[in-house]
Amino acid sequence: RSRFSEHWRCSPPSTLKRVHLPPLAMAAPSEITTRRWVLAKRPGGAFVPEEHARMETETVALASVKEVEKDMELDAPASMAVAKADDVIVKVECLAIDAFLRTMFDEGAFHTTLPVGAVLPAIGYGTVVWAASGAKFKAGDRVSGMLAAGTYVRVGGANLQKKISLPRQEERACLGVLGVPGITAYVGINEVARRPKKGETVVVSAAAGTTGSLAAQLAKMSGARVVGIAGGAVKTKYLLEELGLDGAIDYKDEGKTLDEQLKEQCPQGVDFFYDNVGGKTLDAVLNHINMYGRVVICGAISQYNTGGLYTGGVQGPTNYLKLAEKSATMQGFAMFNHGAGCAKALLYLNYYYYTSKLKLKEDVSSGIESFPDALTAMFAGSYIGRKIIDLSEADAKPSS
């Protein structure tokens, strides 16, 4: 069972936002052809699409799909010709790019290790076209949750939730503000440590990314002074002018070090640090932590694409003794371990989204061919906000 399955929900967005209507229901095809990206080889370092991913094509007659026991190991983990008793085949409509996906390519991964030959995972939504006898969904159901990088994919039903389509609903809201990123941002700011308050200084790393940008906005709602860390002048401008943060730090600035910029932007020190990056960024902020400060570890994107995440290759904080000197705390979290916090998050996030108090910029690419390059672009910091892969009707056309 996916760690996300219990907390995946889609809820109504702001009535002021552009609306994407769900596709009209149609009869399930008798035969489908999928194009999918599979893991060809485990990366020993950075993920390189040409080396570590491979595009496959498969045509399957749905009436001939063979069902096997739920616990049986499949010889071909990507194939749709054989399915477990609770599996469904989904026509994928939309996928999102997340940093944790890269960690699943490594042995011993926290979010489960992806077998070589399996389809690259991704959160998204689509429509069921075939369901096994023991599945909780049926053909025609629209579902969201942990899917995979293909035009049609076979996935376990336990990893999915029924996708709710309400009047004036923004289709992609469940991939952003009202999905895992929004819930993670809310829990990290409000539920893990003593929440920020007026008069305090909050720093958020990767503040122009999906979760970081939402966390920064939620911190602003607490009345605190918020400073975002991002890479490049375009992103720092976005933090200041679009998100309305009080300060912005460019870690790519060649004229000033991260430490120098922290001194300028946080002259009174840092009371609360929401960290998505780890490594040198975490070390630099620890040098400026205040008495009784709080460090909340959401992730460490600087370490995910190194190949050493589960083999002792992570760059840990060398300035951790600042925590003792300042009687500060550092605590990590995974949002699915905060059940009550997730429920509360959905209530607040719906309100904020309805009233347009939260912004999330999207960078959209079309077609399944763009998936692996979009993943590498995230680690290069090539876009702002949420990276979306839109699979059009033409991209998932049935064979018959």
Side-chain angles (χ1 to χ4, degrees):
R1 175 179 289 265
S2 166
R3 294 177 185 272
F4 297 101
S5 61
E6 296 301 323
H7 304 298
W8 187 264
R9 301 289 186 272
C10 294
S11 307
S14 171
T15 56
L16 301 178
K17 296 185 178 291
R18 184 164 55 94
V19 174
H20 296 272
L21 294 176
L24 294 174
M26 59 181 66
S30 59
E31 185 179 83
I32 56 174
T33 297
T34 186
R35 301 193 313 284
R36 62 191 177 222
W37 287 101
V38 302
L39 184 64
K41 175 184 175 184
R42 293 204 188 285
F47 172 71
V48 180
E50 295 79 8
E51 294 179 26
H52 305 122
R54 179 180 69 247
M55 173 69 86
E56 289 184 346
T57 301
E58 181 186 23
T59 298
V60 173
L62 294 180
S64 68
V65 176
K66 179 183 177 182
E67 280 191 48
V68 297
E69 293 297 321
K70 181 178 178 180
D71 298 328
M72 182 177 290
E73 288 294 325
L74 300 182
D75 295 331
S79 177
M80 298 186 299
V82 179
K84 296 184 181 182
D86 64 343
D87 282 354
V88 294
I89 295 176
V90 177
K91 176 184 177 182
V92 181
E93 298 167 25
C94 195
L95 297 171
I97 300 295
D98 289 285
F100 79 86
L101 301 177
R102 167 62 185 86
T103 71
M104 297 174 71
F105 303 165
D106 296 340
E107 291 284 2
F110 173 61
H111 292 291
T112 9
T113 295
L114 187 73
V116 172
V119 190
L120 304 185
I123 289 174
Y125 59 82
T127 301
V128 175
V129 297
W130 179 90
S133 58
K136 62 180 180 179
F137 301 105
K138 63 183 185 303
D141 286 346
R142 300 191 74 225
V143 294
S144 62
M146 186 59 82
L147 296 176
T151 52
Y152 288 88
V153 294
R154 175 183 53 78
V155 292
N159 295 330
L160 304 174
Q161 301 286 336
K162 192 162 185 179
K163 189 178 190 304
I164 301 170
S165 294
L166 299 176
R168 300 183 300 277
Q169 179 178 342
E170 168 61 50
E171 279 284 277
R172 295 198 289 257
C174 63
L175 301 181
V177 174
L178 302 178
V180 172
I183 296 171
T184 301
Y186 181 91
V187 169
I189 290 292
N190 296 290
E191 300 292 323
V192 176
R194 180 164 46 86
R195 72 189 298 267
K197 63 182 180 180
K198 187 175 181 179
E200 290 190 321
T201 295
V202 175
V203 173
V204 178
S205 61
T210 311
T211 302
S213 64
L214 295 173
Q217 293 173 79
L218 290 167
K220 276 290 291 180
M221 292 178 192
S222 71
R225 181 174 182 275
V226 181
V227 175
I229 301 176
V234 173
K235 289 186 178 181
T236 53
K237 182 180 180 181
Y238 172 75
L239 298 182
L240 295 171
E241 297 183 4
E242 296 294 323
L243 299 189
L245 301 193
D246 302 288
I249 291 171
D250 180 3
Y251 72 84
K252 292 183 178 179
D253 191 328
E254 296 180 357
K256 294 180 181 178
T257 66
L258 190 54
D259 188 71
E260 289 171 338
Q261 293 182 76
L262 282 163
K263 286 178 183 176
E264 290 179 1
Q265 296 293 329
C266 308
Q268 305 301 317
V270 178
D271 299 292
F272 190 108
F273 179 38
Y274 188 107
D275 188 26
N276 296 295
V277 174
K280 294 179 181 179
T281 301
L282 173 57
D283 250 349
V285 176
L286 284 176
N287 265 334
H288 298 269
I289 202 73
N290 281 339
M291 285 294 295
Y292 309 112
R294 292 90 73 204
V295 178
V296 173
I297 305 296
C298 175
I301 193 171
S302 68
Q303 309 298 302
Y304 290 171
N305 203 25
T306 64
L309 194 61
Y310 302 103
T311 56
V314 172
Q315 179 185 346
T318 58
N319 293 327
Y320 73 94
L321 285 178
K322 291 295 180 183
L323 298 170
E325 294 171 9
K326 300 293 185 177
S327 293
T329 60
M330 181 161 66
Q331 183 173 346
F333 80 102
M335 67 94 174
F336 39 73
N337 292 326
H338 294 261
C342 290
K344 189 188 299 184
L346 284 168
L347 291 174
Y348 279 95
L349 291 169
N350 270 283
Y351 169 73
Y352 295 145
Y353 198 40
Y354 261 120
T355 53
S356 298
K357 293 183 183 297
L358 283 175
K359 298 178 181 179
L360 181 58
K361 190 170 183 177
E362 291 183 347
D363 188 284
V364 181
S365 295
S366 296
I368 196 62
E369 288 78 11
S370 63
F371 185 88
D373 287 336
L375 187 58
T376 58
M378 176 182 56
F379 289 104
S382 302
Y383 55 84
I384 293 173
R386 189 64 155 155
K387 183 65 179 179
I388 295 291
I389 308 297
D390 179 38
L391 304 187
S392 66
E393 287 296 309
D395 209 7
K397 186 169 64 177
S399 301
S400 61

PDB file of all heavy atoms in Angstrom, residues 336-365:
ATOM      1  N   PHE A 336       2.194  11.837   6.150  1.00  0.00           N
ATOM      2  CA  PHE A 336       1.237  10.746   6.378  1.00  0.00           C
ATOM      3  C   PHE A 336       1.316  10.188   7.795  1.00  0.00           C
ATOM      4  O   PHE A 336       0.507   9.351   8.179  1.00  0.00           O
ATOM      5  CB  PHE A 336       1.427   9.626   5.349  1.00  0.00           C
ATOM      6  CG  PHE A 336       2.853   9.327   5.002  1.00  0.00           C
ATOM      7  CD1 PHE A 336       3.680   8.676   5.886  1.00  0.00           C
ATOM      8  CD2 PHE A 336       3.363   9.719   3.778  1.00  0.00           C
ATOM      9  CE1 PHE A 336       4.991   8.405   5.566  1.00  0.00           C
ATOM     10  CE2 PHE A 336       4.681   9.453   3.440  1.00  0.00           C
ATOM     11  CZ  PHE A 336       5.503   8.790   4.342  1.00  0.00           C
ATOM     12  N   ASN A 337       2.279  10.638   8.596  1.00  0.00           N
ATOM     13  CA  ASN A 337       2.327  10.255  10.012  1.00  0.00           C
ATOM     14  C   ASN A 337       1.594  11.251  10.900  1.00  0.00           C
ATOM     15  O   ASN A 337       1.646  11.155  12.127  1.00  0.00           O
ATOM     16  CB  ASN A 337       3.782  10.131  10.473  1.00  0.00           C
ATOM     17  CG  ASN A 337       4.487   8.957   9.815  1.00  0.00           C
ATOM     18  OD1 ASN A 337       3.866   7.931   9.552  1.00  0.00           O
ATOM     19  ND2 ASN A 337       5.771   9.100   9.537  1.00  0.00           N
ATOM     20  N   HIS A 338       0.938  12.219  10.290  1.00  0.00           N
ATOM     21  CA  HIS A 338       0.194  13.249  11.020  1.00  0.00           C
ATOM     22  C   HIS A 338      -1.262  13.224  10.561  1.00  0.00           C
ATOM     23  O   HIS A 338      -1.735  14.157   9.903  1.00  0.00           O
ATOM     24  CB  HIS A 338       0.814  14.630  10.783  1.00  0.00           C
ATOM     25  CG  HIS A 338       2.186  14.789  11.355  1.00  0.00           C
ATOM     26  ND1 HIS A 338       2.424  15.416  12.563  1.00  0.00           N
ATOM     27  CD2 HIS A 338       3.398  14.382  10.902  1.00  0.00           C
ATOM     28  CE1 HIS A 338       3.727  15.398  12.819  1.00  0.00           C
ATOM     29  NE2 HIS A 338       4.334  14.776  11.825  1.00  0.00           N
ATOM     30  N   GLY A 339      -1.959  12.145  10.899  1.00  0.00           N
ATOM     31  CA  GLY A 339      -3.333  11.971  10.428  1.00  0.00           C
ATOM     32  C   GLY A 339      -4.257  13.119  10.769  1.00  0.00           C
ATOM     33  O   GLY A 339      -4.961  13.653   9.898  1.00  0.00           O
ATOM     34  N   ALA A 340      -4.259  13.535  12.037  1.00  0.00           N
ATOM     35  CA  ALA A 340      -5.133  14.639  12.455  1.00  0.00           C
ATOM     36  C   ALA A 340      -4.714  15.936  11.776  1.00  0.00           C
ATOM     37  O   ALA A 340      -5.558  16.740  11.368  1.00  0.00           O
ATOM     38  CB  ALA A 340      -5.079  14.797  13.977  1.00  0.00           C
ATOM     39  N   GLY A 341      -3.410  16.122  11.631  1.00  0.00           N
ATOM     40  CA  GLY A 341      -2.915  17.324  10.964  1.00  0.00           C
ATOM     41  C   GLY A 341      -3.306  17.371   9.499  1.00  0.00           C
ATOM     42  O   GLY A 341      -3.610  18.438   8.961  1.00  0.00           O
ATOM     43  N   CYS A 342      -3.320  16.219   8.843  1.00  0.00           N
ATOM     44  CA  CYS A 342      -3.726  16.154   7.435  1.00  0.00           C
ATOM     45  C   CYS A 342      -5.197  16.520   7.274  1.00  0.00           C
ATOM     46  O   CYS A 342      -5.575  17.239   6.341  1.00  0.00           O
ATOM     47  CB  CYS A 342      -3.475  14.759   6.877  1.00  0.00           C
ATOM     48  SG  CYS A 342      -1.726  14.353   6.664  1.00  0.00           S
ATOM     49  N   ALA A 343      -6.025  16.022   8.172  1.00  0.00           N
ATOM     50  CA  ALA A 343      -7.454  16.337   8.117  1.00  0.00           C
ATOM     51  C   ALA A 343      -7.677  17.834   8.319  1.00  0.00           C
ATOM     52  O   ALA A 343      -8.469  18.466   7.606  1.00  0.00           O
ATOM     53  CB  ALA A 343      -8.207  15.535   9.182  1.00  0.00           C
ATOM     54  N   LYS A 344      -6.968  18.402   9.283  1.00  0.00           N
ATOM     55  CA  LYS A 344      -7.073  19.842   9.535  1.00  0.00           C
ATOM     56  C   LYS A 344      -6.569  20.625   8.330  1.00  0.00           C
ATOM     57  O   LYS A 344      -7.142  21.647   7.936  1.00  0.00           O
ATOM     58  CB  LYS A 344      -6.263  20.210  10.777  1.00  0.00           C
ATOM     59  CG  LYS A 344      -6.482  21.639  11.265  1.00  0.00           C
ATOM     60  CD  LYS A 344      -5.515  22.022  12.365  1.00  0.00           C
ATOM     61  CE  LYS A 344      -5.647  21.148  13.591  1.00  0.00           C
ATOM     62  NZ  LYS A 344      -4.743  21.618  14.680  1.00  0.00           N
ATOM     63  N   ALA A 345      -5.473  20.134   7.740  1.00  0.00           N
ATOM     64  CA  ALA A 345      -4.896  20.807   6.584  1.00  0.00           C
ATOM     65  C   ALA A 345      -5.905  20.937   5.453  1.00  0.00           C
ATOM     66  O   ALA A 345      -6.026  21.997   4.832  1.00  0.00           O
ATOM     67  CB  ALA A 345      -3.661  20.047   6.100  1.00  0.00           C
ATOM     68  N   LEU A 346      -6.640  19.864   5.169  1.00  0.00           N
ATOM     69  CA  LEU A 346      -7.601  19.898   4.072  1.00  0.00           C
ATOM     70  C   LEU A 346      -8.691  20.935   4.301  1.00  0.00           C
ATOM     71  O   LEU A 346      -9.136  21.605   3.365  1.00  0.00           O
ATOM     72  CB  LEU A 346      -8.205  18.513   3.866  1.00  0.00           C
ATOM     73  CG  LEU A 346      -7.281  17.514   3.162  1.00  0.00           C
ATOM     74  CD1 LEU A 346      -7.826  16.109   3.260  1.00  0.00           C
ATOM     75  CD2 LEU A 346      -7.074  17.913   1.706  1.00  0.00           C
ATOM     76  N   LEU A 347      -9.104  21.087   5.538  1.00  0.00           N
ATOM     77  CA  LEU A 347     -10.121  22.099   5.847  1.00  0.00           C
ATOM     78  C   LEU A 347      -9.593  23.498   5.566  1.00  0.00           C
ATOM     79  O   LEU A 347     -10.230  24.311   4.889  1.00  0.00           O
ATOM     80  CB  LEU A 347     -10.552  21.981   7.315  1.00  0.00           C
ATOM     81  CG  LEU A 347     -11.352  20.732   7.687  1.00  0.00           C
ATOM     82  CD1 LEU A 347     -11.585  20.684   9.202  1.00  0.00           C
ATOM     83  CD2 LEU A 347     -12.695  20.727   6.962  1.00  0.00           C
ATOM     84  N   TYR A 348      -8.405  23.791   6.091  1.00  0.00           N
ATOM     85  CA  TYR A 348      -7.834  25.123   5.916  1.00  0.00           C
ATOM     86  C   TYR A 348      -7.445  25.382   4.462  1.00  0.00           C
ATOM     87  O   TYR A 348      -7.669  26.476   3.932  1.00  0.00           O
ATOM     88  CB  TYR A 348      -6.619  25.305   6.827  1.00  0.00           C
ATOM     89  CG  TYR A 348      -6.980  25.657   8.244  1.00  0.00           C
ATOM     90  CD1 TYR A 348      -7.082  24.679   9.222  1.00  0.00           C
ATOM     91  CD2 TYR A 348      -7.229  26.971   8.612  1.00  0.00           C
ATOM     92  CE1 TYR A 348      -7.423  24.988  10.534  1.00  0.00           C
ATOM     93  CE2 TYR A 348      -7.568  27.307   9.909  1.00  0.00           C
ATOM     94  CZ  TYR A 348      -7.666  26.305  10.872  1.00  0.00           C
ATOM     95  OH  TYR A 348      -8.002  26.625  12.168  1.00  0.00           O
ATOM     96  N   LEU A 349      -6.852  24.372   3.811  1.00  0.00           N
ATOM     97  CA  LEU A 349      -6.415  24.557   2.431  1.00  0.00           C
ATOM     98  C   LEU A 349      -7.591  24.822   1.501  1.00  0.00           C
ATOM     99  O   LEU A 349      -7.492  25.635   0.574  1.00  0.00           O
ATOM    100  CB  LEU A 349      -5.636  23.330   1.957  1.00  0.00           C
ATOM    101  CG  LEU A 349      -4.267  23.121   2.619  1.00  0.00           C
ATOM    102  CD1 LEU A 349      -3.716  21.746   2.271  1.00  0.00           C
ATOM    103  CD2 LEU A 349      -3.285  24.212   2.213  1.00  0.00           C
ATOM    104  N   ASN A 350      -8.716  24.148   1.738  1.00  0.00           N
ATOM    105  CA  ASN A 350      -9.904  24.425   0.940  1.00  0.00           C
ATOM    106  C   ASN A 350     -10.351  25.872   1.110  1.00  0.00           C
ATOM    107  O   ASN A 350     -10.688  26.553   0.143  1.00  0.00           O
ATOM    108  CB  ASN A 350     -11.038  23.473   1.330  1.00  0.00           C
ATOM    109  CG  ASN A 350     -11.032  22.197   0.521  1.00  0.00           C
ATOM    110  OD1 ASN A 350     -11.450  22.204  -0.635  1.00  0.00           O
ATOM    111  ND2 ASN A 350     -10.549  21.119   1.101  1.00  0.00           N
ATOM    112  N   TYR A 351     -10.344  26.344   2.348  1.00  0.00           N
ATOM    113  CA  TYR A 351     -10.736  27.743   2.599  1.00  0.00           C
ATOM    114  C   TYR A 351      -9.778  28.704   1.899  1.00  0.00           C
ATOM    115  O   TYR A 351     -10.210  29.648   1.218  1.00  0.00           O
ATOM    116  CB  TYR A 351     -10.758  28.017   4.099  1.00  0.00           C
ATOM    117  CG  TYR A 351     -10.904  29.492   4.413  1.00  0.00           C
ATOM    118  CD1 TYR A 351     -12.118  30.155   4.220  1.00  0.00           C
ATOM    119  CD2 TYR A 351      -9.806  30.223   4.858  1.00  0.00           C
ATOM    120  CE1 TYR A 351     -12.243  31.516   4.483  1.00  0.00           C
ATOM    121  CE2 TYR A 351      -9.919  31.584   5.118  1.00  0.00           C
ATOM    122  CZ  TYR A 351     -11.132  32.222   4.926  1.00  0.00           C
ATOM    123  OH  TYR A 351     -11.244  33.563   5.173  1.00  0.00           O
ATOM    124  N   TYR A 352      -8.476  28.465   2.053  1.00  0.00           N
ATOM    125  CA  TYR A 352      -7.489  29.358   1.439  1.00  0.00           C
ATOM    126  C   TYR A 352      -7.605  29.345  -0.079  1.00  0.00           C
ATOM    127  O   TYR A 352      -7.430  30.367  -0.748  1.00  0.00           O
ATOM    128  CB  TYR A 352      -6.075  28.945   1.844  1.00  0.00           C
ATOM    129  CG  TYR A 352      -5.771  29.078   3.310  1.00  0.00           C
ATOM    130  CD1 TYR A 352      -4.935  28.168   3.964  1.00  0.00           C
ATOM    131  CD2 TYR A 352      -6.317  30.116   4.070  1.00  0.00           C
ATOM    132  CE1 TYR A 352      -4.651  28.283   5.307  1.00  0.00           C
ATOM    133  CE2 TYR A 352      -6.044  30.232   5.421  1.00  0.00           C
ATOM    134  CZ  TYR A 352      -5.204  29.316   6.041  1.00  0.00           C
ATOM    135  OH  TYR A 352      -4.923  29.428   7.376  1.00  0.00           O
ATOM    136  N   TYR A 353      -7.894  28.178  -0.641  1.00  0.00           N
ATOM    137  CA  TYR A 353      -7.986  28.075  -2.086  1.00  0.00           C
ATOM    138  C   TYR A 353      -9.263  28.730  -2.610  1.00  0.00           C
ATOM    139  O   TYR A 353      -9.259  29.417  -3.623  1.00  0.00           O
ATOM    140  CB  TYR A 353      -7.918  26.599  -2.478  1.00  0.00           C
ATOM    141  CG  TYR A 353      -7.561  26.386  -3.931  1.00  0.00           C
ATOM    142  CD1 TYR A 353      -6.603  27.171  -4.564  1.00  0.00           C
ATOM    143  CD2 TYR A 353      -8.170  25.373  -4.665  1.00  0.00           C
ATOM    144  CE1 TYR A 353      -6.267  26.961  -5.887  1.00  0.00           C
ATOM    145  CE2 TYR A 353      -7.832  25.154  -5.987  1.00  0.00           C
ATOM    146  CZ  TYR A 353      -6.883  25.956  -6.597  1.00  0.00           C
ATOM    147  OH  TYR A 353      -6.552  25.746  -7.906  1.00  0.00           O
ATOM    148  N   TYR A 354     -10.384  28.509  -1.896  1.00  0.00           N
ATOM    149  CA  TYR A 354     -11.640  29.147  -2.270  1.00  0.00           C
ATOM    150  C   TYR A 354     -11.508  30.661  -2.273  1.00  0.00           C
ATOM    151  O   TYR A 354     -12.090  31.357  -3.101  1.00  0.00           O
ATOM    152  CB  TYR A 354     -12.740  28.757  -1.279  1.00  0.00           C
ATOM    153  CG  TYR A 354     -13.643  27.651  -1.762  1.00  0.00           C
ATOM    154  CD1 TYR A 354     -13.745  26.460  -1.036  1.00  0.00           C
ATOM    155  CD2 TYR A 354     -14.407  27.792  -2.905  1.00  0.00           C
ATOM    156  CE1 TYR A 354     -14.580  25.448  -1.458  1.00  0.00           C
ATOM    157  CE2 TYR A 354     -15.246  26.782  -3.335  1.00  0.00           C
ATOM    158  CZ  TYR A 354     -15.326  25.607  -2.613  1.00  0.00           C
ATOM    159  OH  TYR A 354     -16.152  24.605  -3.030  1.00  0.00           O
ATOM    160  N   THR A 355     -10.767  31.185  -1.305  1.00  0.00           N
ATOM    161  CA  THR A 355     -10.631  32.640  -1.164  1.00  0.00           C
ATOM    162  C   THR A 355      -9.382  33.179  -1.865  1.00  0.00           C
ATOM    163  O   THR A 355      -9.005  34.332  -1.673  1.00  0.00           O
ATOM    164  CB  THR A 355     -10.596  33.018   0.326  1.00  0.00           C
ATOM    165  OG1 THR A 355      -9.571  32.256   1.003  1.00  0.00           O
ATOM    166  CG2 THR A 355     -11.928  32.745   0.977  1.00  0.00           C
ATOM    167  N   SER A 356      -8.726  32.345  -2.660  1.00  0.00           N
ATOM    168  CA  SER A 356      -7.555  32.728  -3.449  1.00  0.00           C
ATOM    169  C   SER A 356      -6.416  33.287  -2.601  1.00  0.00           C
ATOM    170  O   SER A 356      -5.711  34.210  -3.003  1.00  0.00           O
ATOM    171  CB  SER A 356      -7.950  33.750  -4.528  1.00  0.00           C
ATOM    172  OG  SER A 356      -8.884  33.196  -5.418  1.00  0.00           O
ATOM    173  N   LYS A 357      -6.228  32.736  -1.418  1.00  0.00           N
ATOM    174  CA  LYS A 357      -5.153  33.193  -0.543  1.00  0.00           C
ATOM    175  C   LYS A 357      -3.841  32.445  -0.789  1.00  0.00           C
ATOM    176  O   LYS A 357      -2.806  32.810  -0.247  1.00  0.00           O
ATOM    177  CB  LYS A 357      -5.569  33.039   0.925  1.00  0.00           C
ATOM    178  CG  LYS A 357      -6.707  33.971   1.349  1.00  0.00           C
ATOM    179  CD  LYS A 357      -7.015  33.819   2.824  1.00  0.00           C
ATOM    180  CE  LYS A 357      -8.202  34.692   3.240  1.00  0.00           C
ATOM    181  NZ  LYS A 357      -7.928  36.133   3.058  1.00  0.00           N
ATOM    182  N   LEU A 358      -3.893  31.374  -1.572  1.00  0.00           N
ATOM    183  CA  LEU A 358      -2.688  30.610  -1.898  1.00  0.00           C
ATOM    184  C   LEU A 358      -2.497  30.579  -3.408  1.00  0.00           C
ATOM    185  O   LEU A 358      -3.448  30.349  -4.160  1.00  0.00           O
ATOM    186  CB  LEU A 358      -2.789  29.170  -1.376  1.00  0.00           C
ATOM    187  CG  LEU A 358      -2.572  28.942   0.114  1.00  0.00           C
ATOM    188  CD1 LEU A 358      -2.824  27.486   0.455  1.00  0.00           C
ATOM    189  CD2 LEU A 358      -1.164  29.337   0.537  1.00  0.00           C
ATOM    190  N   LYS A 359      -1.255  30.804  -3.825  1.00  0.00           N
ATOM    191  CA  LYS A 359      -0.912  30.744  -5.241  1.00  0.00           C
ATOM    192  C   LYS A 359       0.023  29.568  -5.478  1.00  0.00           C
ATOM    193  O   LYS A 359       0.877  29.273  -4.651  1.00  0.00           O
ATOM    194  CB  LYS A 359      -0.190  32.025  -5.677  1.00  0.00           C
ATOM    195  CG  LYS A 359      -0.992  33.297  -5.533  1.00  0.00           C
ATOM    196  CD  LYS A 359      -0.144  34.491  -5.951  1.00  0.00           C
ATOM    197  CE  LYS A 359      -0.904  35.795  -5.801  1.00  0.00           C
ATOM    198  NZ  LYS A 359      -0.061  36.959  -6.196  1.00  0.00           N
ATOM    199  N   LEU A 360      -0.133  28.919  -6.619  1.00  0.00           N
ATOM    200  CA  LEU A 360       0.807  27.881  -7.021  1.00  0.00           C
ATOM    201  C   LEU A 360       0.967  27.958  -8.529  1.00  0.00           C
ATOM    202  O   LEU A 360       0.054  27.637  -9.287  1.00  0.00           O
ATOM    203  CB  LEU A 360       0.329  26.489  -6.611  1.00  0.00           C
ATOM    204  CG  LEU A 360       1.277  25.343  -6.990  1.00  0.00           C
ATOM    205  CD1 LEU A 360       2.659  25.549  -6.373  1.00  0.00           C
ATOM    206  CD2 LEU A 360       0.708  23.996  -6.571  1.00  0.00           C
ATOM    207  N   LYS A 361       2.125  28.399  -8.957  1.00  0.00           N
ATOM    208  CA  LYS A 361       2.404  28.506 -10.384  1.00  0.00           C
ATOM    209  C   LYS A 361       2.634  27.119 -10.965  1.00  0.00           C
ATOM    210  O   LYS A 361       3.215  26.255 -10.311  1.00  0.00           O
ATOM    211  CB  LYS A 361       3.646  29.385 -10.595  1.00  0.00           C
ATOM    212  CG  LYS A 361       3.895  29.772 -12.035  1.00  0.00           C
ATOM    213  CD  LYS A 361       4.982  30.832 -12.129  1.00  0.00           C
ATOM    214  CE  LYS A 361       5.171  31.277 -13.566  1.00  0.00           C
ATOM    215  NZ  LYS A 361       6.171  32.360 -13.668  1.00  0.00           N
ATOM    216  N   GLU A 362       2.184  26.912 -12.191  1.00  0.00           N
ATOM    217  CA  GLU A 362       2.374  25.630 -12.871  1.00  0.00           C
ATOM    218  C   GLU A 362       3.253  25.807 -14.101  1.00  0.00           C
ATOM    219  O   GLU A 362       3.167  26.809 -14.812  1.00  0.00           O
ATOM    220  CB  GLU A 362       1.030  25.030 -13.298  1.00  0.00           C
ATOM    221  CG  GLU A 362       0.166  24.553 -12.160  1.00  0.00           C
ATOM    222  CD  GLU A 362      -1.115  23.902 -12.657  1.00  0.00           C
ATOM    223  OE1 GLU A 362      -1.434  24.051 -13.865  1.00  0.00           O
ATOM    224  OE2 GLU A 362      -1.796  23.238 -11.860  1.00  0.00           O
ATOM    225  N   ASP A 363       4.089  24.821 -14.355  1.00  0.00           N
ATOM    226  CA  ASP A 363       4.888  24.753 -15.571  1.00  0.00           C
ATOM    227  C   ASP A 363       4.464  23.467 -16.267  1.00  0.00           C
ATOM    228  O   ASP A 363       4.717  22.368 -15.770  1.00  0.00           O
ATOM    229  CB  ASP A 363       6.380  24.726 -15.220  1.00  0.00           C
ATOM    230  CG  ASP A 363       7.261  24.841 -16.451  1.00  0.00           C
ATOM    231  OD1 ASP A 363       7.387  23.840 -17.181  1.00  0.00           O
ATOM    232  OD2 ASP A 363       7.810  25.920 -16.687  1.00  0.00           O
ATOM    233  N   VAL A 364       3.777  23.592 -17.394  1.00  0.00           N
ATOM    234  CA  VAL A 364       3.120  22.444 -18.022  1.00  0.00           C
ATOM    235  C   VAL A 364       3.853  22.010 -19.288  1.00  0.00           C
ATOM    236  O   VAL A 364       4.147  22.831 -20.163  1.00  0.00           O
ATOM    237  CB  VAL A 364       1.652  22.762 -18.358  1.00  0.00           C
ATOM    238  CG1 VAL A 364       0.962  21.548 -18.979  1.00  0.00           C
ATOM    239  CG2 VAL A 364       0.904  23.218 -17.104  1.00  0.00           C
ATOM    240  N   SER A 365       4.146  20.717 -19.374  1.00  0.00           N
ATOM    241  CA  SER A 365       4.670  20.108 -20.598  1.00  0.00           C
ATOM    242  C   SER A 365       3.638  19.109 -21.108  1.00  0.00           C
ATOM    243  O   SER A 365       2.897  18.521 -20.321  1.00  0.00           O
ATOM    244  CB  SER A 365       5.992  19.380 -20.329  1.00  0.00           C
ATOM    245  OG  SER A 365       7.002  20.294 -19.934  1.00  0.00           O
TER     246      SER A 365
END
